[in-house]
Amino acid sequence: MTEHGPTSVEDVTVVGGGDAGKLAALIFQAEEPSLNVRVIDDPAEPPKEVGKSTFSSITSILHDHLGIDRENFFREVTPVWKHSVYFEDWTGEELFTPFDLKDVFDMADRPLEDVHYRYRNDSFETINQVSTTDQKTPFVEEHGGVDFDRPYPYVAYHLNVYDFDSYLRELLEERGVEVVEDRIRSVGTDGEWITDIEGEKGTYEADLYVDATGFGRVLASELPVEFSEYDFPLDAAVVTQVPIDLEDIVPATVIRTLDSGWTWQIDTTEARDLGYVYASEYADRETAERDFRERHDIPESAEVTSYSFTSGRFDRAWVGNCLVAGDAFAFVEPLQATSLSTHAHIAYDVVKQLADNSWTMHEGLRRIVDGTVDEYWTEIYDFLTAFYRYSRGETPFWAHMRTVGDDADWAAYEDTYQSGAGFLLSRSKADRKITFGSVFNVYQTDYTMYDLGVPIDLHESGDVEVGDQTSERIEDLGNRIDRVVEDFLTYPEVYSGEYLGEPTAEGEDPVDGTDDDKFLT
């Protein structure tokens, strides 16, 4: 076995041409255009026919780091701007995961009073939440037009998977990234090092390989890494699409629970994507499809497709000269739509680390990256755990789900939350083992626990004195939120010919910019 010391990275081969692979290639190319970046895309593996939901961090990757023009992206991909995850029925409870909750709390002059008033009056309204219920986009009309470069900032996307895939492919071609259509047949290895990969059409060599083959794990399966399953029994899904009109779009991923899992609704501008994620231990395929069709009133004429997956992760993300990325590295389950956004951020972090190390791979760098990736996925697992530990379903599946996280020190986090640290600054919880901050923020976690009935003793007691200044500020903020959302455009308005329906005529003067204070931030 050959010993490999520090190695310069000049050639990068990404195996897997889905959105994770294409984004990884674009991120490498954007950071260092002199790199020779190649994507090997298996044409026999088309994108899954499932609407793509994302988390709010994806917008900074696409538009800030990759420099993708927003208006062009909107015209070509026609996304839905996602304001939140809306749990219409989570074992009998209604709750939201808005992206802008932290912004609301950061405006508090007296945080403890602010939390106490909101807790006692159930006053956690945000722009995201109201925009979801009012079915609004994040744009306002000013001076006869819309500045698409400056939407309300705390949004993510719902994407038609084919439109998004085509857009990324065209972007790769524009930026000089080679895309090779081939199927990998074998992977040559020397210990932890990949020597070459052989496809049906040729053999490929690179300094650094990226496994973005999803659950196929084409490269990772040939390397000496250990895969550990999470304690989530969810392992299957049934999905379908039904027609939708623009006026019916809900700008949030809508969640509803069933006996053996939960269903999603992801509205795009072209269809309503529906799915049921369930545990095959508690429901067979036939039962799952029957319950799914009944829950969403899906006609028998609508075709339902089935998928299976394994919830778990590898012990290392960077092995030798291979970075295991996206679903190939880890997958918990799709409740918070973190997969694509997390992968993009991890790829960005890795590339930045490589650039800081003069594009040289070495063992110290691999350990740093493995630690970073571990933090991301631990946080995702911990956040998802909150929804299940405090759920109230009475079926065997839901009883099982209330046990997840028993090995993750959740009891200590819950004790800290209940003692009075809930919704307060994360530094007040520095001694906990449960961590948040890379993907989610502590407010989202605590808001979930609050909505699911986990009490905070300090605020249950009513012993905190709230001054008039605090209560008046919160009430005024609620009125301002309603006024802001009232001015947001609807989907039929945005996707009409006046705005995104037809491109702006060449040479036409741009719309005047909007004022920074048009939102609350």
Side-chain angles (χ1 to χ4, degrees), residues 194-230:
I194 294 177
T195 56
D196 58 47
I197 53 179
E198 184 176 346
E200 294 177 345
K201 298 179 180 179
T203 300
Y204 309 94
E205 296 182 359
D207 302 315
L208 176 64
Y209 297 87
V210 179
D211 186 344
T213 59
F215 300 137
R217 302 181 170 112
V218 172
L219 303 186
S221 61
E222 302 298 324
L223 296 171
V225 285
E226 181 179 343
F227 188 85
S228 300
E229 294 189 16
Y230 289 119

Side-chain angles (χ1 to χ4, degrees), residues 152-165:
Y152 182 64
Y154 303 105
V155 292
Y157 295 133
H158 284 175
L159 303 164
N160 175 282
V161 67
Y162 291 105
D163 291 344
F164 186 50
D165 183 76

Side-chain angles (χ1 to χ4, degrees), residues 57-263:
S57 57
I58 193 65
T59 59
S60 65
I61 292 291
L62 294 176
H63 306 301
D64 298 333
H65 302 319
L66 293 181
I68 295 174
D69 179 76
R70 280 182 167 82
E71 184 168 349
N72 176 263
F73 181 79
F74 299 159
R75 291 188 186 281
E76 296 296 326
V77 182
T78 63
V80 164
W81 293 273
K82 173 184 171 182
H83 285 282
S84 67
V85 179
Y86 170 39
F87 295 81
E88 184 180 84
D89 174 12
W90 187 253
T91 62
E93 299 295 327
E94 181 185 27
L95 59 149
F96 290 83
T97 303
F99 300 131
D100 56 358
L101 192 63
K102 182 178 184 298
D103 187 62
V104 170
F105 279 106
D106 283 350
M107 288 188 282
D109 295 327
R110 298 177 173 85
L112 182 61
E113 290 183 29
D114 191 279
V115 171
H116 192 73
Y117 182 88
R118 292 180 183 280
Y119 185 99
R120 301 283 294 183
N121 293 277
D122 192 23
S123 181
F124 292 92
E125 192 173 73
T126 74
I127 286 179
N128 278 158
Q129 183 173 331
V130 178
S131 297
T132 296
T133 56
D134 289 1
Q135 297 175 265
K136 293 294 190 72
T137 72
F139 301 105
V140 296
E141 179 186 41
E142 290 194 343
H143 310 294
V146 177
D147 186 350
F148 288 108
D149 286 331
R150 296 171 64 188
Y152 182 64
Y154 303 105
V155 292
Y157 295 133
H158 284 175
L159 303 164
N160 175 282
V161 67
Y162 291 105
D163 291 344
F164 186 50
D165 183 76
S166 296
Y167 186 86
L168 293 179
R169 191 180 187 92
E170 291 177 7
L171 200 59
L172 288 168
E173 293 175 358
E174 290 174 7
R175 299 188 178 187
V177 176
E178 180 185 13
V179 179
V180 179
E181 291 191 349
D182 200 355
R183 165 161 279 200
I184 301 304
R185 288 302 186 190
S186 64
V187 180
T189 61
D190 180 14
E192 294 191 346
W193 214 259
I194 294 177
T195 56
D196 58 47
I197 53 179
E198 184 176 346
E200 294 177 345
K201 298 179 180 179
T203 300
Y204 309 94
E205 296 182 359
D207 302 315
L208 176 64
Y209 297 87
V210 179
D211 186 344
T213 59
F215 300 137
R217 302 181 170 112
V218 172
L219 303 186
S221 61
E222 302 298 324
L223 296 171
V225 285
E226 181 179 343
F227 188 85
S228 300
E229 294 189 16
Y230 289 119
D231 54 353
F232 283 52
L234 295 159
D235 61 358
V238 287
V239 303
T240 193
Q241 292 183 330
V242 296
I244 191 172
D245 294 323
L246 288 176
E247 59 265 26
D248 294 327
I249 287 174
V250 178
T253 302
V254 183
I255 306 296
R256 306 171 180 93
T257 50
L258 288 174
D259 287 349
S260 300
W262 52 270
T263 72

